[in-house]
């Protein structure tokens, strides 16, 4: 077994253990300092629950990537975006978890984070399309990255949803990258998946700890980095990323569009996503989270493999991935909510 594989196996094991131990310690700390998510009109829990636990797995990932860079030469753009940008995403999210940042300031931070990714990757893949002006490619890419960050934040609405989604998305892309022969990037995504499993020990319903913005903003940001890198290197297409994000993209985008049409203050806080309504109706977070995990494994995973094996048909795979979720959200999303 090569030293490279041994280093990564050691890194996976140590990072997993540190995540579990660190999350356990943080949960006690959050309870003592009353860093709690208290029940309100948009939440689906009845008792105060410690929040901000995402700061642990986020920092574990950032430091693991940094130290692995010291042992193995990795692209500077990737390290700068993951470590510096990831650290800022984590810390700004944690500050919001503790003291709640103003919405305008949060948007400014998200614009900076998106701009930092675009800067690190010199504009991103859209600049390679000849008929799109560079300035428009930069703006459109920033908009999509900001939406991705918010998309992930929107999906952190019931126990285990955002964390299990990260395990699935990072794990599947890791498998696809191994198939394509990009071992370095595959191991990074595998590391993220393993670390999120460590956090999921505490976040699986009934959750004893919430990840908060320190975790959801970080995950949305990191996936933005990985999407940019893999698409630019032609290892994983944008279509395939849309497939693995099928449930998250379908739910959040459909919900947002429906609220724009039917709700006057559509931008306000709410709990009208289909998965939130179903959790409320079923009286169970676990049942809904399991349903989404099953959908991802049984439907989206095979479609992702198909999109890699048949790249010409990848857009068809996207349609197949999104359609059930869109229909599900049209039926069980804002239309069922009184928010």
């Amino acid at each position: 077994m090569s030293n490279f594989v041994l280093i990564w196996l050691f890194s996976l094991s140590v990072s997993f253990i540190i995540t579990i131990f660190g999350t356990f310690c943080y949960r006690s700390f959050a309870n003592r300092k009353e860093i709690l998510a208290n029940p309100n009109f948009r939440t689906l829990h009845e008792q105060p629950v410690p929040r901000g636990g995402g700061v642990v797995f986020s920092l574990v990932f950032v430091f693991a990537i940094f130290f692995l860079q010291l042992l193995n030469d990795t692209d500077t753009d990737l390290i700068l975006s993951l470590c510096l940008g990831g650290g800022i995403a984590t810390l700004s999210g944690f500050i919001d978890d503790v003291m709640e940042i103003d919405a305008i300031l949060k948007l400014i931070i998200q614009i900076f984070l998106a701009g930092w990714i675009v800067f690190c990757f010199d504009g991103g893949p859209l600049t390679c399309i000849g008929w799109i002006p560079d300035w428009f490619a930069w703006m459109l890419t920033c908009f999509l990255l900001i939406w991705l960050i918010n998309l992930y934040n929107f999906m952190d609405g019931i126990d285990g949803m955002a964390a299990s989604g990260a395990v699935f998305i990072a794990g599947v892309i890791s498998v696809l990258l191994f198939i394509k022969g990009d071992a370095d990037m595959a191991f990074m995504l595998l590391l993220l998946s393993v670390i999120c499993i460590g956090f999921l020990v505490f976040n699986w319903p009934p959750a004893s700890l919430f990840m908060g913005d320190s975790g959801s903003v970080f995950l949305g940001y990191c996936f933005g980095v990985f999407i940019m890198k893999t698409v630019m290197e032609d290892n994983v297409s944008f279509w395939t990323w849309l497939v693995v994000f099928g449930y998250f993209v379908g739910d959040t985008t459909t919900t947002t569009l429906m609220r724009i049409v039917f709700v006057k203050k559509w931008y306000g806080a709410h709990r009208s996503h289909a998965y939130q309504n179903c959790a409320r109706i079923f009286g169970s977070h676990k049942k809904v989270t399991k349903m989404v995990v099953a959908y991802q494994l049984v439907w989206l995973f095979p479609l992702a493999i198909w999109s890699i094996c048949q790249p010409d048909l990848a857009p068809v795979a996207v349609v197949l991935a999104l359609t059930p979720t869109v229909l599900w959200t049209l039926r069980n999303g804002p239309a069922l909510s009184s928010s």
Side-chain angles (χ1 to χ4, degrees), residues 9-338:
L9 289 176
F10 176 78
S11 301
L12 291 172
S13 302
V14 171
S15 297
F16 179 74
I17 293 171
I18 292 176
T19 299
I20 290 181
F21 178 73
T23 305
F24 177 81
C25 294
Y26 174 81
R27 184 178 60 180
S28 299
F29 169 80
N31 274 315
R32 290 198 308 272
K33 297 298 182 180
E34 296 187 345
I35 306 174
L36 304 172
N38 292 304
N40 57 50
F41 77 97
R42 63 170 299 208
T43 59
L44 294 170
H45 59 281
E46 298 177 354
Q47 301 294 329
V49 177
R51 66 178 177 179
V55 70
V56 178
F57 71 76
S58 300
L59 290 179
V60 169
F61 181 77
V62 167
F63 281 109
I65 293 297
F66 175 76
F67 285 117
L68 286 169
Q69 160 64 11
L70 301 179
L71 301 175
N72 183 47
D73 186 27
T74 308
D75 292 343
T76 303
D77 55 1
L78 188 61
I79 296 304
L80 280 175
S81 55
L82 284 177
C83 293
L84 182 57
I88 293 173
T90 302
L91 294 178
S92 63
F94 184 66
I95 292 172
D96 188 37
D97 290 332
V98 174
M99 55 195 308
E100 296 191 2
I101 299 175
D102 180 76
I104 298 298
L105 180 56
K106 285 198 286 188
L107 179 60
I108 292 173
I109 294 171
Q110 291 172 6
I111 292 172
F112 169 79
L113 290 172
W116 178 245
I117 296 176
V118 175
F119 172 77
C120 288
F121 293 100
D122 196 25
L126 292 180
T127 58
C128 298
I129 302 176
W131 57 271
I132 297 181
D134 284 354
W135 65 268
F136 183 74
W138 279 62
M139 290 183 62
L140 179 58
T141 303
C142 282
F143 172 78
L144 293 174
L145 289 169
I146 292 169
W147 174 243
L148 178 61
I149 292 171
N150 282 279
L151 175 154
Y152 219 93
N153 187 257
F154 295 158
M155 294 306 296
D156 186 29
I158 64 171
D159 299 352
M161 179 65 73
S164 62
V167 173
F168 170 77
I169 294 166
V172 169
I173 297 297
S174 175
V175 170
L176 299 180
L177 286 169
F178 272 119
I179 294 174
K180 298 283 285 189
D182 189 347
D184 285 341
M185 191 73 68
F187 270 122
M188 287 185 187
L189 280 152
L190 180 60
L191 175 65
L192 181 60
S193 183
V194 167
I195 288 173
C196 287
I197 292 173
F199 175 75
L200 198 55
V201 171
F202 303 87
N203 188 239
W204 186 255
S208 62
L209 179 65
F210 294 159
M211 69 167 63
D213 281 12
S214 56
S216 60
V217 171
F218 168 80
L219 288 172
Y221 174 86
C222 273
F223 282 125
V225 171
F226 286 124
I227 289 171
M228 291 279 279
K229 184 68 173 176
T230 55
V231 171
M232 290 182 70
E233 294 186 347
D234 200 27
N235 281 333
V236 179
S237 72
F238 184 66
W239 300 114
T240 300
W241 277 103
L242 276 176
V243 170
V244 296
F245 265 97
Y247 184 80
F248 282 25
V249 169
D251 185 304
T252 56
T253 304
T254 305
T255 298
T256 301
L257 292 175
M258 290 181 70
R259 285 181 59 80
I260 289 174
V261 174
F262 297 112
V263 181
K264 185 175 181 179
K265 293 185 178 181
W266 62 269
Y267 47 83
H270 66 96
R271 59 173 190 179
S272 58
H273 291 274
Y275 74 90
Q276 291 174 311
N277 284 333
C278 290
R280 179 163 46 85
I281 293 168
F282 297 158
S284 171
H285 291 215
K286 183 181 291 185
K287 182 180 292 186
V288 177
T289 300
K290 282 184 174 181
M291 287 171 59
V292 174
V293 170
Y295 177 74
Q296 291 170 328
L297 292 173
V298 174
W299 187 243
L300 299 184
F301 184 35
L303 285 174
I305 298 292
W306 185 47
S307 71
I308 288 285
C309 297
Q310 299 289 335
D312 292 341
L313 296 176
V316 178
V318 172
V319 173
L320 292 174
L322 292 177
T323 298
T325 305
V326 171
L327 295 176
W328 176 258
T329 305
L330 288 172
R331 179 177 178 179
N332 300 292
L336 281 184
S337 177
S338 59

